[in-house]
Amino acid sequence: MDDQQRQPYAFSFETGDGQNKKLLGGKGANLCEMTQIGLNVPPGFVVTTQACLDFLENDQLPEGLADEINAQLTALEEKTGKGFGDPNSPLLLSVRSGSALSMPGMMDTILNLGLNQETLQGLIQQTGDERFSYDAYRRFIQLFGKVALGVPDEAFDKPFEEIKRREGVKADVGLSAENLKEASERFLEAVREHTGRAFPEDVKEGLTLAVKAVFRSWMGKRAIDYRREFKITPDMANGTAVNIMTMVFGNMGNDCATGVGFTRNPGTGENLMYGEYLVNAQGEDVVAGIRTPKPVQDMATEWPDMYQQLEGLRNRLETHYREVQDFEYTIEKGTLYCLQTRNGKMNAVATVRTSVEMANDGLLSREEALLRVDPELLEQLLHPMLDPDHDGVHVAVGLPASPGAASGKCVFDADRAELLGNAGAKVILVREETKPEDIHGFFASQGILTSRGGKTSHAAVVARGMGKPCVAGAEGIEVNTENRQARVGDHVLIEGDVITIDGGNGKVYLGEIETVPPEFSDDLRTLLGWADEAARIKVLANTDTPDGAVTAADYGAMGIGLCRTERMFNAPDRLPLVVDMILANTTEERQAALDRLLPVQRQDFEGLFKAMGDRPVTIRLLDPPIHEFLPTERQLEQELAHLRQLRGTIEGMRDLVGATKLMGDPEKVAAAEKIPLPADGVELIDEAIAKKQLMLDKVRELFEINPMLGHRGVRLGITYPEIYAMQIQAVIEAAAICQSSGQHVKPEIMVPQVCTAQELMKVRELVAPLQQRVASETGTDVNFSFGTMIEVVRACMRAGQLAQVAEFFSFGTNDLTQAAFSFSREDAENKFLPFYNENRILQDNPFEVLDVKGVGRLIKTAVKDGRDQREGMKIGICGEQGGHPTTIAFCHEVGLSYVSCSGPRIPVARLAAANAKLRAEEAAAVKLRTEEAA
Ligand code: PEP
Ligand code: MG
């Protein structure tokens, strides 16, 4: 490209485009913007990121850059009336890096560039302050030496510390002009020693070296690591700009100061200037902590007119950027300069509060206020978090499976968790993996830690549903349930040892770490109310208990999108009934057990309907393979062995009594008779053995090599129609009870694992007679809708046929993802998936963020075919991905009616649903404008 065509490599602050952060870097663009809106910014210019990229390509300054820099320097000299390298009135510059995204790890700042032996004398004369001038000079040599010439810190620190020690001063401010002069000379010497040449006296050469050093820092290890860690792609930031600005000094006397501020409090969001300043100091002094800065509010009394000016700057920045700003300023001899501004980083509380207040004050529209908050940030507000200042060192890392943090005594089985938890202890349930029968342990625990399983494992899904923290698949942990011990690396945990888990990042700590409580504030309610008004897609809850439903309603759930009824079967009062149902050998026996389950289920459903009022409640019929309600084969074998041993012991004790009688010693007979022998002991044990043996036989009978693809879901409902019939009857009866007491209910019955319309029709056949029976028995006609989950690939391909029977679809994307990828949802996440993600074979974990390209295509096909058959059909998603903002944006785009997610994800999903709609509208408007312009 010839010079005529290419964009300039350098822009003065008066001419650079303040919106073009990619070209000028964030810092540079803001300096241009601030200058152009009339804020007092020291004059300067920006060398572009393009110049950086061109430099890196050939490892030499691109042609034309030196001329442009010279031209900018001449213009600066004119603006300031000073000369670069002019001993009579030296122009001094600061040089800073700055890419499109703020990126710590790149080059440090160089200050006072323009000083050399000659200009130093000029500075002394001009300021009349030898100490100040030598201080500026030694800082320059030190920074330039380190940054541009690669001299190590110690080369400067050592002589400087020596001088301080010799002079008996602790802080730099205690050094005299003479001391600083000596320091400068020793620094120059250090540079010569390390670089093998004299410190550059030519100021222009100095500037060129500084610019090159900034460019090179883009490819420095720290910067590359940072970009990799935070997934900063060239699309987001490519190359660094160089900001070259006239120096202003906050350390020229008591009418000078330096400070940093936020336009609002970044910790609370309060609409009050926040920050610190230091009189007669340079920015570095604040950072180095040499002197303690004062809160900016002190300036209001100590320096009222300057405080007024600062307030003016704050207001101007906020009204212009319409965002909280984090800014830096210097006051030089009573004049306020703004040196930098950027959007303030805030915690979740402050982000929500400022959004609501800025919208209420008219600074932002409600839509802008919503878009300003990252939905994921809300997670912080809903769970206890570890104290951000804790200094705990983690001993293991697993998958962050359910957010929040908790401490407690570790226990290794659900019964112990229940026992200790109910006795008031805080416990963490630590298991290799959890099973449905562990559910009572979940209730009693503060959090769950497993060494196997992924983010859709039983532990993860259940914990998320309950809003309890969970770290899953922490592979370094070996659990030994029998010995009530676990090994974590070199540590052995014994039951009762306290641990802390952080489900937000998967870390496990020994001992207790303080947590900070969650806060569902009025501001958050207000913001989410606006979100509901803006969103098109509805947000429902995955929850299985009336308590869960009440919590979900409080989080703003617009109904229940998935009640996994099997969860209800696991409660301790139901499990025996379920076991009887499974052990039944005949339909009659099974019906007898189901008759006892019916009232319990009915009560459950009534509870859900009551909690949700007139909002829809989707009840999914039984899904998992029934062997999951029974103990494992190994466990049963062990229990049987123990029972047989016990039986032998009791018989042995009876023999002992008999034997002592034969001995003819009355004392021994009396002693033997005192040994407590349970009455009917053997009979009781025999009964237990018989039951356990029956269970073992059943477990063996039900055994499947691959139960996840086996006898489960609708397949169960078809082979044991009485199970589904009982559940359907319970739903209709519960709805009738609610309806007859005047409550409007919206029950929905949903069938899992369907792959053909024939299956659905079979289940549908059960419905009508039950509906009629309830109507004639209670006099109440119950209306409900009948739908299907779509969670197998064939169901997506046959959605048109399914829609002939189903009134609604709900995508079960946990199973659908498993089916589409052929990745086990139980194992993939802690086996090969992290490797896949790290090596970019897959961008995301598809069990967390919906795979739009593959699974999403299946969904699109099913939505289209379903709605072609049944116009306006209600279609949602209820897999774990349904609470993830990116997935929600996809669901919005393909026209789903709702997403359903675990209770604590609901606020995140409500905001994400609004943002998805607003972003889609924005994109459509841009497209329209582009088309119109074309
Ligand atoms: C699913 O498969 O996405 C689903 C919601 O069902 P479950 O997780 O209970 O299998
Ligand atoms: Mg499923």
Side-chain angles (χ1 to χ4, degrees):
M1 192 188 302
D2 66 35
D3 264 16
Q4 296 297 311
Q5 287 172 339
R6 80 160 165 80
Q7 229 179 6
Y9 279 135
F11 290 89
S12 70
F13 291 168
E14 286 83 0
T15 58
D17 174 1
Q19 304 303 311
N20 197 345
K21 293 191 174 168
K22 274 201 88 175
L23 185 69
L24 302 180
K27 209 179 283 165
N30 279 334
L31 286 167
C32 294
E33 183 91 351
M34 287 197 294
T35 304
Q36 291 163 34
I37 62 168
L39 292 177
N40 198 22
V41 176
F45 60 97
V46 192
V47 178
T48 65
T49 55
Q50 189 58 49
C52 170
L53 296 176
D54 291 353
F55 168 80
L56 292 173
E57 200 174 311
N58 301 310
D59 199 28
Q60 63 182 35
L61 288 187
E63 220 180 292
L65 176 58
D67 291 344
E68 287 192 47
I69 290 179
N70 280 335
Q72 291 292 344
L73 277 175
T74 310
L76 262 193
E77 288 175 331
E78 273 164 27
K79 271 176 236 165
T80 57
K82 297 178 178 177
F84 193 48
D86 179 354
N88 296 321
S89 176
L91 169 66
L92 303 188
L93 303 172
S94 69
V95 180
R96 292 181 164 92
S97 60
S99 74
L101 292 177
S102 136
M103 202 181 295
M106 278 193 322
M107 204 200 73
D108 300 320
T109 303
I110 297 178
L111 300 175
N112 307 329
L113 198 139
L115 279 178
N116 58 17
Q117 304 280 1
E118 283 183 11
T119 54
L120 170 68
Q121 296 312 318
L123 187 68
I124 295 171
Q125 273 186 4
Q126 203 183 32
T127 59
D129 189 339
E130 229 187 349
R131 190 192 177 283
F132 161 80
S133 304
Y134 275 112
D135 195 28
Y137 191 40
R138 68 95 193 169
R139 281 179 205 259
F140 166 59
I141 304 166
Q142 191 168 0
L143 285 167
F144 189 91
K146 175 183 160 192
V147 172
L149 304 174
V151 180
D153 277 329
E154 310 82 73
F156 303 110
D157 292 345
K158 218 169 130 216
F160 203 58
E161 286 311 313
E162 260 172 39
I163 297 173
K164 274 172 41 182
R165 207 174 316 120
R166 190 192 66 212
E167 298 299 319
V169 300
K170 281 215 162 69
D172 301 1
V173 279
L175 294 172
S176 66
E178 202 49 42
N179 299 149
L180 292 164
K181 183 176 178 192
E182 182 191 342
S184 312
E185 281 157 7
R186 291 181 66 177
F187 285 2
L188 289 174
E189 189 49 41
V191 169
R192 191 173 302 116
E193 233 172 65
H194 275 85
T195 62
R197 54 163 285 195
F199 191 86
E201 277 291 299
D202 177 347
V203 293
K204 284 204 172 159
E205 185 198 351
L207 182 58
T208 307
L209 287 172
V211 169
K212 285 183 176 174
V214 174
F215 286 163
R216 288 204 180 100
S217 70
W218 178 254
M219 292 311 286
K221 183 174 168 356
R222 281 188 304 169
I224 291 175
D225 288 349
Y226 187 89
R227 291 200 289 276
R228 186 181 319 116
E229 177 72 20
F230 292 94
K231 301 194 170 76
I232 298 175
T233 58
D235 216 34
M236 296 152 81
N238 206 6
T240 175
V242 191
N243 300 295
I244 296 164
M245 185 160 76
T246 313
M247 284 294 301
V248 284
F249 294 95
N251 57 343
M252 273 184 157
N254 286 335
D255 53 356
C256 299
T258 182
V260 290
F262 277 84
T263 53
R264 299 182 192 218
N265 186 319
T268 63
E270 191 184 6
N271 188 0
L272 195 69
M273 182 156 55
Y274 176 89
E276 295 175 322
Y277 74 109
L278 203 50
V279 172
N280 195 12
Q282 274 200 334
E284 266 194 340
D285 301 333
V286 182
V287 180
I290 296 163
R291 285 158 58 199
T292 312
K294 298 178 189 179
V296 70
Q297 262 70 35
D298 285 9
M299 200 193 279
T301 45
E302 287 185 3
W303 203 351
D305 55 331
M306 188 49 69
Y307 185 74
Q308 280 308 315
Q309 282 193 44
L310 205 55
E311 271 287 344
L313 171 63
R314 168 202 179 214
N315 291 337
R316 189 81 182 87
L317 284 173
E318 259 206 8
T319 44
H320 180 75
Y321 285 100
R322 303 166 74 234
E323 180 52 276
V324 174
Q325 294 296 296
D326 166 0
F327 62 105
E328 286 180 19
Y329 58 93
T330 284
I331 301 163
E332 183 185 272
K333 297 199 175 298
T335 304
L336 173 66
Y337 294 92
C338 190
L339 303 188
Q340 182 178 327
T341 192
R342 58 184 169 197
N343 292 346
K345 282 207 168 70
M346 286 172 286
N347 64 18
V349 173
T351 308
V352 169
R353 175 169 174 181
T354 50
S355 258
V356 171
E357 290 186 354
M358 285 162 92
N360 284 341
D361 293 345
L363 199 57
L364 299 178
S365 67
R366 284 188 178 179
E367 289 75 19
E368 287 168 323
L370 288 166
L371 284 169
R372 186 176 169 265
V373 184
D374 173 2
E376 289 288 4
L377 204 60
L378 301 188
E379 192 91 66
Q380 278 183 29
L381 301 177
L382 306 168
H383 301 280
M385 309 288 285
L386 287 190
D387 180 345
D389 297 328
H390 80 85
D391 53 7
V393 181
H394 62 272
V395 290
V397 187
L399 297 165
S402 174
S407 301
K409 296 178 173 173
C410 48
V411 284
F412 305 104
D413 72 71
D415 294 341
R416 296 286 299 163
E418 187 178 44
L419 191 78
L420 299 177
N422 289 351
K426 289 189 166 175
V427 298
I428 305 283
L429 178 60
V430 184
R431 304 276 291 151
E432 249 171 35
E433 62 187 340
T434 61
K435 296 201 64 179
E437 74 247 24
D438 291 329
I439 194 82
H440 55 298
F442 279 64
F443 286 124
S445 302
Q446 307 298 307
I448 322 298
L449 168 62
T450 68
S451 59
R452 289 222 302 261
K455 284 188 186 159
T456 58
S457 64
H458 176 266
V461 173
V462 174
R464 260 201 305 278
M466 290 183 182
K468 296 198 178 199
C470 173
V471 173
E475 292 216 316
I477 301 182
E478 287 166 29
V479 182
N480 184 331
T481 316
E482 269 168 39
N483 297 346
R484 295 193 191 154
Q485 281 188 356
R487 178 175 285 283
V488 186
D490 299 337
H491 307 273
V492 175
L493 288 176
I494 297 172
E495 183 182 284
D497 287 350
V498 174
I499 59 168
T500 300
I501 59 169
D502 186 342
N505 59 18
K507 290 185 178 160
V508 181
Y509 303 85
L510 300 183
E512 180 169 353
I513 294 177
E514 287 283 310
T515 52
V516 284
E519 203 178 327
F520 203 94
S521 64
D522 288 347
D523 288 327
L524 181 56
R525 281 183 206 284
T526 305
L527 190 80
L528 291 174
W530 296 346
D532 293 346
E533 281 168 30
R536 182 189 56 71
I537 211 165
K538 300 270 178 277
V539 178
L540 280 67
N542 290 355
T543 188
D544 327 303
T545 60
D547 282 352
V550 170
T551 314
D554 190 43
Y555 282 139
M558 299 160 202
I560 294 178
L562 174 64
C563 162
R564 293 172 161 109
T565 47
E566 60 270 19
R567 301 273 166 80
M568 298 167 155
F569 283 5
N570 278 303
D573 56 330
R574 292 122 203 246
L575 199 55
L577 304 180
V578 177
V579 170
D580 282 351
M581 171 189 91
I582 298 169
L583 295 182
N585 281 324
T586 62
T587 310
E588 291 71 35
E589 274 176 24
R590 191 158 30 256
Q591 191 57 54
L594 287 168
D595 287 347
R596 287 188 289 148
L597 261 177
L598 175 75
V600 188
Q601 280 263 277
R602 188 171 51 221
Q603 213 179 358
D604 290 334
F605 298 146
E606 238 185 284
L608 293 181
F609 293 147
K610 289 210 168 104
M612 277 295 146
D614 58 1
R615 288 169 274 194
V617 175
T618 314
I619 288 161
R620 180 179 76 183
L621 303 177
L622 193 66
D623 182 28
I626 49 178
H627 74 81
E628 281 200 8
F629 298 99
L630 300 178
T632 60
E633 182 176 10
R634 188 160 158 257
Q635 197 179 340
L636 283 165
E637 281 168 351
Q638 254 175 13
E639 283 173 12
L640 271 170
H642 290 157
L643 284 170
R644 288 193 178 114
Q645 228 170 23
L646 184 60
R647 189 184 198 288
T649 307
I650 291 179
E651 278 180 345
M653 276 157 45
R654 282 188 183 155
D655 289 347
L656 177 67
V657 177
T660 49
K661 280 182 186 153
L662 286 178
M663 288 177 200
D665 179 343
E667 261 183 43
K668 285 190 178 143
V669 174
E673 279 177 347
K674 269 195 210 138
I675 298 172
L677 272 179
D680 304 329
V682 175
E683 291 70 16
L684 201 65
I685 294 167
D686 281 343
E687 232 178 276
I689 288 176
K691 180 101 181 188
K692 292 278 169 186
Q693 186 61 52
L694 212 60
M695 286 164 92
L696 182 58
D697 293 344
K698 200 71 181 181
V699 165
R700 288 179 177 150
E701 181 191 320
L702 293 173
F703 172 78
E704 289 173 306
I705 303 248
N706 199 341
M708 277 309 245
L709 304 180
H711 196 180
R712 62 173 291 206
V714 69
R715 277 95 80 179
L716 268 181
I718 285 177
T719 45
Y720 302 115
E722 54 281 8
I723 300 180
Y724 273 18
M726 179 279 288
Q727 292 195 295
I728 294 167
Q729 185 179 341
V731 172
I732 300 175
E733 286 181 356
I737 293 170
C738 292
Q739 264 180 236
S740 59
S741 69
Q743 191 195 328
H744 230 85
V745 287
K746 267 202 205 143
E748 303 192 334
I749 293 172
M750 181 160 78
V751 189
Q753 300 292 331
V754 169
C755 66
T756 159
Q758 299 306 316
E759 289 171 325
L760 263 187
M761 281 191 283
K762 273 269 178 228
V763 180
R764 187 83 174 86
E765 278 167 14
L766 298 173
V767 174
L770 289 167
Q771 199 175 10
Q772 279 155 18
R773 202 168 90 200
V774 174
S776 68
E777 280 171 10
T778 64
T780 310
D781 245 336
V782 172
N783 279 323
F784 59 88
S785 49
F786 180 82
T788 182
M789 291 196 74
I790 304 274
E791 48 190 341
V792 308
V793 175
R794 193 175 190 281
C796 295
M797 299 294 106
R798 301 290 291 166
Q801 281 66 27
L802 295 181
Q804 290 174 9
V805 192
E807 292 163 277
F808 67 90
F809 286 168
S810 179
F811 288 100
T813 43
N814 299 331
D815 278 314
L816 189 56
T817 300
Q818 171 170 266
F821 280 84
S822 282
F823 287 177
S824 158
R825 60 189 268 193
E826 297 292 330
D827 298 318
E829 282 169 285
N830 53 11
K831 290 286 186 288
F832 56 87
L833 254 184
F835 182 84
Y836 266 42
N837 292 145
E838 271 159 33
N839 290 281
R840 318 300 282 162
I841 295 169
L842 280 177
Q843 210 78 353
D844 291 302
N845 171 357
F847 291 105
E848 194 179 338
V849 185
L850 188 87
D851 160 53
V852 168
K853 292 178 190 152
V855 181
R857 239 179 119 184
L858 292 171
I859 290 179
K860 275 190 192 167
T861 306
V863 170
K864 179 175 181 310
D865 293 354
R867 290 211 174 123
D868 279 352
Q869 175 63 40
R870 190 182 286 270
E871 208 185 316
M873 185 179 195
K874 177 173 164 178
I875 303 181
I877 173 178
C878 64
E880 296 307 302
Q881 300 91 337
H884 197 285
T886 321
T887 309
I888 294 171
F890 168 79
C891 295
H892 174 89
E893 183 197 315
V894 297
L896 294 200
S897 326
Y898 69 91
V899 297
S900 189
C901 56
S902 62
R905 286 299 287 186
I906 285 168
V908 176
R910 288 165 70 194
L911 181 56
N915 288 1
K917 159 111 174 297
L918 296 171
R919 291 232 156 79
E921 283 173 354
E922 241 174 43
V926 170
K927 190 162 170 247
L928 192 70
R929 277 201 300 274
T930 330
E931 279 166 9
E932 276 170 2

